[in-house]
Amino acid sequence: MLGSDGRILAEAVLSQADHAAFGGVVPEIAARAHLAHLPRLVSHVMQQAGVGYADLGGIAASAGPGLIGGLIVGSGFAKGAALAHGVPYVAINHLEAHALTARLPALGLHAAFPYLLLLMSGGHCQAVGVEGVGRYTRLGGTIDDAAGEAFDKVAKLLGLGWPGGPALEQLAAEGRPIHPFPRPLAGRTGCDFSFSGLKTAVSQHIATLPHGAISRAMAADIAASFQDAVSDVMADRASHAMTMIRALHPTCRLMVVAGGVAANMALRRVLQDAAQRQDFVFAAPPLRLCTDNAVMVAWAGIERLSLGLISQFDAAPRPRWPLAELAVA
Ligand code: KG4
Ligand code: ZN
């Protein structure tokens, strides 16, 4: 819950730990969990903020891209509340919410358009020129897996819990990057990404080890080597992306990271170094605002509302919703 000036009045994240036993998100469980918990969570946050429905200037909800069950519950709830209380409803593309988080005044990052965005989440991995609200130029993206997907899959191979990214980062801190895993697409022109070959290389390496004989130290070395490969690839792709954004916007000097994988401190460090080498400022939201959260959705709602961009009540949630389709006239 945000004030109209972007101040964070209250926030809460309900993680769906129920999925851990299945090694990933189970769509039906996710949808039902939204249904079971959303009303209570909304009341709790409003109470914490000391705000009633009559005080609201608008209600924003994520309407895609993502698993349709949770999107239907969330956007349906938001539409119902907006309709009942006579306030605007704003359907938010959750990628746009990640993209605009660095502009949240409370963070003091002062991200002014245009800037380069590296969006790295469980479902997406792309380099984007952020030119304004609703104005995005895709510079490159993954040709197979998303970065977070690769973290999750390698974490699973190492027997870590779900979601795998944070657990893998922790384990990697104990290890040494001694395995020369591939750096897919490094050095290639453009700034596309590829992670499936890297994941396969890790999987093949693990298959050569005696079954059940991977010690924690061995697993830590594998985790560190994987994370090192992802870091090298990211730094290389980011450096190409910075050159590309400069060709489009010669004055652009800002690189922003967003999405769950941007919570990885090792990655942040190499990206910060890459930015410095090209005279770019590096900006990253705090860890809790990198992974999916409602603060970023509310902020995107404020950005849209301030431009008069409200949504119709018949706007349907969209499981697939590329940033490029958000174009504001
Ligand atoms: O943005 P997000 O919360 O949800 C999606 O939109 O997908 O991103 C979730 C992804 C998961 O794949 C998770 O493993 C990864 O972000 N992740 C991390 C870290 N924290 C979350 N990956 C690497 N290191 C982390 N510290
Ligand atoms: Zn996300």
Side-chain angles (χ1 to χ4, degrees), residues 114-325:
Y115 54 86
L116 170 64
L117 168 75
L118 290 185
L119 178 57
M120 315 179 274
S121 70
H124 296 84
C125 187
Q126 32 185 276
V128 179
V130 181
E131 280 127 12
V133 174
R135 293 174 50 211
Y136 305 96
T137 302
R138 190 177 187 278
L139 303 171
T142 184
I143 56 172
D144 40 56
D145 292 351
E149 209 175 335
F151 269 93
D152 291 337
K153 285 178 180 169
V154 169
K156 201 167 182 175
L157 288 169
L158 292 174
L160 304 175
W162 180 91
L168 193 138
E169 179 178 11
Q170 248 185 345
L171 183 61
E174 298 171 22
R176 301 153 303 160
I178 53 174
H179 304 294
F181 293 137
R183 270 67 175 156
L185 299 186
R188 296 272 189 93
T189 51
C191 62
D192 281 341
F193 302 82
S194 166
F195 295 102
S196 86
L198 170 57
K199 173 203 67 194
T200 304
V202 176
S203 152
Q204 283 171 346
H205 173 75
I206 292 173
T208 64
L209 304 171
H211 188 64
I214 306 182
S215 66
R216 182 161 177 101
M218 286 161 81
D221 287 346
I222 294 170
S225 306
F226 165 77
Q227 189 171 270
D228 203 46
V230 175
S231 301
D232 280 354
V233 166
M234 282 293 181
D236 174 82
R237 306 287 74 201
S239 127
H240 283 235
M242 283 184 272
T243 305
M244 289 168 78
I245 192 93
R246 282 266 269 268
L248 278 178
H249 302 286
T251 57
C252 177
R253 290 286 184 286
L254 176 63
M255 176 165 80
V256 167
V257 291
V261 181
N264 185 292
M265 293 310 291
L267 268 179
R268 283 181 184 231
R269 273 193 296 275
V270 298
L271 289 171
Q272 176 147 32
D273 291 347
Q276 236 161 27
R277 280 196 295 275
Q278 273 169 261
D279 205 16
F280 268 62
V281 172
F282 173 80
L287 303 192
R288 74 181 202 288
L289 298 182
C290 284
T291 41
D292 286 348
N293 64 88
V295 165
M296 70 178 190
V297 175
W299 172 246
I302 289 177
E303 291 253 38
R304 288 199 153 250
L305 267 180
S306 68
L307 296 173
L309 299 170
I310 65 172
S311 307
Q312 300 303 312
F313 284 113
D314 61 0
R318 297 180 54 174
R320 207 187 147 273
W321 191 3
L323 275 177
E325 289 179 20

